[in-house]
Amino acid sequence: MTQNTINIELSIIIPVFNEQEALNICYLELKKVFYHLENRIEFIFIDDGSKDKTSEIMKEISYHDMSVKCIFLSRNFGKESAMSAGLDFANGYFVAQIDVDLQDPPELIPKMIEVLKQTQSDVVYGVRSEREGESSIKKLSSYLFYKIIDKMTHIDIPRNTGDFRVMTREVILALRSLNETQRFMKGLFAWVGFKQIAFPYKRKARIAGKTKFNYIKLWNFALEGITSFTNMPLKTATYFGFCISTVSFLLSLFYISKYFFYGEKIQGFLTLIVAILFMGGIQLMFLGILGEYLGRTYIESKRRPVYLIRKKLNLD
Ligand code: UDP
Ligand code: MG
């Protein structure tokens, strides 16, 4: 049996991956904040292929509470895909996204909805004015990433945003219409446009458990962000090649004229080696960039689904 999906005012999407320590605390906190919405709210927990007790806890909760809907993905597809799954099943007029570790305070969601209504906007996204419990390397790398992506793309991806936002149904429908397999959600949210308002808040430390993102994951995430929104690195190759050929052409003119006018012999074994190695390095680097795009085109061309569902609970 499922809830009547027509009257749902708010859907809350929560991706979960190996979060047995945080899950119950998160659920209880959400229930506390939204008790007044009674059955006009749904909580969509997406189990992103957890290996610990997460799925048992989810089953247990959804068994007692019909407003808790569960989607179990067939394996770990990554947070971006898990969020997409949640968005695909959300029925509410407003949809909110939040992490299970409660780094983003759920009690702010009603305030964000208030802002959304007052400003008649479509998206209200949280911007971290402060971040607790995150290393300075993480903060620095995230700063650099946004700086680079800002310079390279035409879309404006807001700085210091996480996946804490509230949006209207129209935005969800727009997002569902995008069918790329590889999803860089922050970019997609910016890409769809609509009227978006920033909501500054203080991001707290995790309530329990550890972060699920290591530096390799973050690096791949950054690559995904750049390659799915701009061809700039590819263009750089062209411009770079053009500059280097111009310089080497002028240089050859210089040496040839020296030979003709002053009779100087052309020499410089070391220069030659350095130049060859330099060019070799540059070529390999751009070949790598090319490969990065080609690989993505290849994966995209297979048209595989963004996620696969093993099981659903309390959902049609
Ligand atoms: N998460 C997920 N799949 C993953 C990694 C993370 O669904 O492969 C979820 C995780 O359970 C949490 C949210 O994404 O609800 C944010 O993860 P985390 O707190 O580890 O990221 P951080 O806040 O450190 O950036
Ligand atoms: Mg977190």
Side-chain angles (χ1 to χ4, degrees), residues 16-21 23-24 47 50-61 72:
V16 192
F17 176 53
N18 291 344
E19 301 274 9
Q20 57 186 16
E21 296 91 1
L23 189 52
N24 231 330
D47 174 23
S50 299
K51 297 240 157 44
D52 61 358
K53 296 234 160 22
T54 298
S55 51
E56 279 88 8
I57 302 172
M58 269 170 67
K59 271 181 211 154
E60 181 77 24
I61 298 175
F72 300 90

Side-chain angles (χ1 to χ4, degrees), residues 13-33:
I13 297 174
I14 313 121
V16 192
F17 176 53
N18 291 344
E19 301 274 9
Q20 57 186 16
E21 296 91 1
L23 189 52
N24 231 330
I25 310 177
C26 172
Y27 167 67
L28 293 174
E29 186 64 30
L30 286 172
K31 277 308 256 194
K32 210 163 76 192
V33 174

Side-chain angles (χ1 to χ4, degrees), residues 177-303:
S177 72
L178 307 177
N179 50 11
E180 51 234 88
T181 315
Q182 294 157 307
R183 309 206 132 216
F184 178 66
M185 293 304 280
K186 272 181 209 167
L188 296 181
F189 274 112
W191 187 87
V192 291
F194 290 90
K195 187 172 174 196
Q196 310 209 7
I197 304 270
F199 184 94
Y201 73 104
K202 196 173 149 202
R203 187 159 152 105
K204 297 196 225 155
R206 258 181 172 272
I207 39 159
K210 283 200 295 248
T211 174
K212 305 294 173 295
F213 287 91
N214 52 32
Y215 283 103
I216 298 176
K217 264 193 179 181
L218 284 175
W219 168 251
N220 285 329
F221 183 66
L223 270 189
E224 183 65 54
I226 292 169
T227 50
S228 52
F229 282 93
T230 172
N231 285 337
M232 197 63 184
L234 288 176
K235 284 191 193 146
T236 325
T238 320
Y239 300 138
F240 212 88
F242 184 72
C243 290
I244 292 203
S245 338
T246 315
V247 170
S248 61
F249 179 69
L250 293 177
L251 212 62
S252 65
L253 280 187
F254 173 70
Y255 282 120
I256 290 171
S257 52
K258 250 180 152 184
Y259 175 75
F260 278 116
F261 294 116
Y262 302 101
E264 259 185 47
K265 282 231 173 76
I266 297 164
Q267 35 177 246
F269 178 67
L270 195 66
T271 344
L272 198 69
I273 296 289
V274 170
I276 289 175
L277 285 181
F278 175 68
M279 275 321 293
I282 297 284
Q283 279 175 359
L284 280 182
M285 190 178 96
F286 283 118
L287 214 60
I289 293 177
L290 205 68
E292 204 62 56
Y293 279 93
L294 195 67
R296 268 155 229 276
T297 318
Y298 170 61
I299 291 175
E300 213 52 72
S301 72
K302 292 195 237 185
R303 303 262 55 135

